[in-house]
Coordinates of all heavy atoms in Angstrom, one line a residue:
S6 N 60.7 25.8 25.5 CA 61.4 27.0 25.0 C 62.7 26.5 24.3 O 63.2 25.4 24.6 CB 61.7 27.9 26.1 OG 62.5 27.3 27.1
P7 N 63.3 27.3 23.4 CA 64.5 26.9 22.7 C 65.6 26.6 23.7 O 65.7 27.2 24.7 CB 64.8 28.1 21.8 CG 63.5 28.8 21.6 CD 62.8 28.6 22.9
L8 N 66.6 25.8 23.3 CA 67.7 25.5 24.1 C 68.7 26.7 24.0 O 69.0 27.2 22.9 CB 68.4 24.2 23.7 CG 67.7 22.9 23.9 CD1 68.5 21.8 23.3 CD2 67.4 22.7 25.3
P9 N 69.2 27.2 25.1 CA 70.2 28.2 25.1 C 71.6 27.6 24.6 O 71.7 26.4 24.5 CB 70.4 28.7 26.5 CG 69.9 27.5 27.3 CD 68.9 26.8 26.5
E10 N 72.5 28.5 24.2 CA 73.8 28.0 23.7 C 74.6 27.3 24.8 O 75.2 26.3 24.6 CB 74.6 29.1 23.1 CG 75.9 28.7 22.4 CD 76.7 29.8 21.8 OE1 76.4 31.0 22.2 OE2 77.5 29.5 20.9
L11 N 74.6 27.9 26.0 CA 75.3 27.4 27.1 C 74.3 27.0 28.2 O 73.5 27.8 28.6 CB 76.3 28.4 27.7 CG 77.3 29.0 26.7 CD1 78.2 30.1 27.4 CD2 78.2 27.9 26.2
F12 N 74.4 25.8 28.7 CA 73.4 25.3 29.7 C 73.9 24.0 30.3 O 74.8 23.3 29.8 CB 72.1 25.1 29.1 CG 72.0 23.9 28.1 CD1 71.7 22.7 28.6 CD2 72.2 24.1 26.8 CE1 71.6 21.6 27.7 CE2 72.1 23.1 25.9 CZ 71.8 21.8 26.3
K13 N 73.3 23.7 31.4 CA 73.5 22.4 32.0 C 72.2 21.7 32.0 O 71.1 22.3 32.3 CB 74.0 22.5 33.5 CG 74.2 21.1 34.2 CD 74.7 21.3 35.6 CE 74.9 20.0 36.2 NZ 75.4 20.1 37.6
G14 N 72.1 20.5 31.5 CA 70.9 19.7 31.4 C 71.0 18.5 32.4 O 72.0 17.9 32.5
I15 N 69.9 18.3 33.0 CA 69.8 17.2 34.0 C 68.6 16.3 33.6 O 67.5 16.8 33.4 CB 69.6 17.7 35.4 CG1 70.8 18.6 35.8 CG2 69.5 16.5 36.4 CD1 70.6 19.3 37.1
A16 N 68.8 15.0 33.5 CA 67.7 14.1 33.1 C 67.5 13.1 34.2 O 68.5 12.5 34.7 CB 68.0 13.4 31.8
L17 N 66.3 12.7 34.5 CA 66.0 11.7 35.5 C 65.0 10.7 34.8 O 64.0 11.1 34.3 CB 65.3 12.3 36.7 CG 64.8 11.3 37.8 CD1 66.0 10.5 38.4 CD2 64.0 12.0 38.9
F18 N 65.4 9.4 34.8 CA 64.6 8.4 34.2 C 64.0 7.6 35.4 O 64.4 7.6 36.5 CB 65.5 7.4 33.4 CG 65.9 8.0 32.1 CD1 67.1 8.7 32.0 CD2 65.2 7.7 30.9 CE1 67.5 9.2 30.8 CE2 65.6 8.2 29.7 CZ 66.8 9.0 29.6
T19 N 62.9 6.8 35.0 CA 62.4 5.9 35.9 C 62.8 4.5 35.4 O 63.3 4.3 34.3 CB 60.8 5.9 35.8 OG1 60.4 5.4 34.6 CG2 60.3 7.3 36.1
P20 N 62.7 3.5 36.3 CA 63.1 2.1 35.9 C 62.3 1.6 34.7 O 62.8 0.8 33.9 CB 62.8 1.3 37.1 CG 62.9 2.2 38.3 CD 62.4 3.5 37.7
G21 N 61.1 2.2 34.5 CA 60.2 1.8 33.3 C 60.6 2.5 32.0 O 60.1 2.2 31.0
G22 N 61.4 3.6 32.1 CA 61.8 4.3 30.9 C 61.2 5.6 30.7 O 61.5 6.3 29.7
D23 N 60.4 6.1 31.6 CA 59.8 7.5 31.5 C 61.0 8.5 31.8 O 62.0 8.1 32.5 CB 58.7 7.7 32.5 CG 57.5 6.9 32.1 OD1 57.2 6.7 30.9 OD2 56.7 6.5 33.1
L24 N 60.8 9.7 31.3 CA 61.9 10.7 31.4 C 61.3 12.0 31.8 O 60.4 12.5 31.2 CB 62.6 10.8 30.1 CG 63.6 12.0 29.9 CD1 64.7 11.9 30.8 CD2 64.1 12.0 28.4
I25 N 62.0 12.7 32.7 CA 61.7 14.1 33.0 C 63.1 14.8 33.1 O 64.1 14.2 33.6 CB 60.9 14.2 34.3 CG1 60.6 15.7 34.5 CG2 61.7 13.7 35.5 CD1 59.5 15.9 35.6
Y26 N 63.2 16.0 32.5 CA 64.5 16.7 32.5 C 64.3 18.2 32.6 O 63.2 18.7 32.4 CB 65.2 16.3 31.2 CG 64.6 16.9 29.9 CD1 65.1 18.0 29.3 CD2 63.5 16.3 29.3 CE1 64.6 18.5 28.1 CE2 62.9 16.8 28.2 CZ 63.5 17.9 27.5 OH 62.9 18.4 26.4
C27 N 65.4 18.9 32.8 CA 65.3 20.3 32.8 C 66.6 20.9 32.2 O 67.6 20.3 32.1 CB 65.2 20.8 34.3 SG 66.6 20.5 35.3
I28 N 66.5 22.2 31.9 CA 67.6 23.0 31.3 C 67.9 24.1 32.3 O 67.0 24.9 32.6 CB 67.2 23.6 29.9 CG1 66.8 22.5 29.0 CG2 68.4 24.4 29.4 CD1 67.8 21.5 28.6
D29 N 69.1 24.1 32.7 CA 69.6 25.1 33.7 C 70.6 26.0 33.0 O 71.8 25.7 33.0 CB 70.1 24.5 35.0 CG 70.6 25.5 36.0 OD1 70.2 26.7 35.9 OD2 71.2 25.1 37.0
S30 N 70.2 27.2 32.5 CA 71.2 28.1 31.8 C 72.1 28.8 32.8 O 73.1 29.2 32.5 CB 70.4 29.1 31.0 OG 69.5 29.8 31.8
S31 N 71.6 28.9 34.1 CA 72.5 29.6 35.1 C 73.6 28.7 35.6 O 74.6 29.1 36.2 CB 71.6 30.0 36.3 OG 71.2 28.9 37.0
K32 N 73.3 27.3 35.5 CA 74.3 26.3 36.0 C 74.5 26.4 37.5 O 75.6 26.0 38.0 CB 75.6 26.4 35.2 CG 75.5 26.2 33.7 CD 76.9 26.0 33.1 CE 76.7 25.8 31.6 NZ 78.1 25.6 30.9
K33 N 73.6 27.0 38.2 CA 73.7 27.1 39.6 C 72.7 26.2 40.4 O 72.9 26.1 41.6 CB 73.5 28.6 40.0 CG 74.6 29.5 39.4 CD 74.3 31.0 39.9 CE 75.3 31.9 39.3 NZ 75.0 33.3 39.7
G34 N 71.7 25.8 39.7 CA 70.6 25.0 40.4 C 71.0 23.5 40.5 O 71.8 23.0 39.8
R35 N 70.4 22.9 41.5 CA 70.5 21.5 41.7 C 69.0 21.0 41.6 O 68.3 21.0 42.6 CB 71.1 21.1 43.1 CG 72.6 21.7 43.2 CD 73.2 21.3 44.5 NE 73.3 19.8 44.6 CZ 73.8 19.2 45.7 NH1 74.1 19.9 46.8 NH2 73.8 17.9 45.7
W36 N 68.7 20.5 40.5 CA 67.2 20.4 40.2 C 66.7 18.9 40.4 O 65.6 18.6 40.0 CB 67.0 20.8 38.7 CG 67.3 22.3 38.5 CD1 68.3 22.8 37.8 CD2 66.5 23.4 39.1 NE1 68.3 24.2 37.9 CE2 67.2 24.5 38.6 CE3 65.4 23.5 39.9 CZ2 66.8 25.8 39.0 CZ3 65.0 24.7 40.2 CH2 65.6 25.9 39.8
H37 N 67.6 18.1 40.9 CA 67.1 16.7 41.1 C 65.9 16.6 42.0 O 64.9 15.8 41.7 CB 68.2 15.8 41.7 CG 69.4 15.6 40.8 ND1 70.6 16.2 40.9 CD2 69.4 14.8 39.7 CE1 71.4 15.8 40.0 NE2 70.7 14.9 39.2
S38 N 65.8 17.4 43.0 CA 64.6 17.4 43.9 C 63.4 17.9 43.2 O 62.3 17.4 43.4 CB 64.9 18.3 45.2 OG 65.1 19.6 44.8

Side-chain angles (χ1 to χ4, degrees):
S6 57
L8 293 178
E10 184 180 20
L11 304 177
F12 68 89
K13 181 178 181 180
I15 302 172
L17 175 65
F18 287 87
T19 68
D23 290 329
L24 166 65
I25 184 167
Y26 69 102
C27 68
I28 304 296
D29 181 12
S30 57
S31 70
K32 300 189 180 184
K33 297 179 180 179
R35 299 182 63 183
W36 298 109
H37 290 108
S38 62

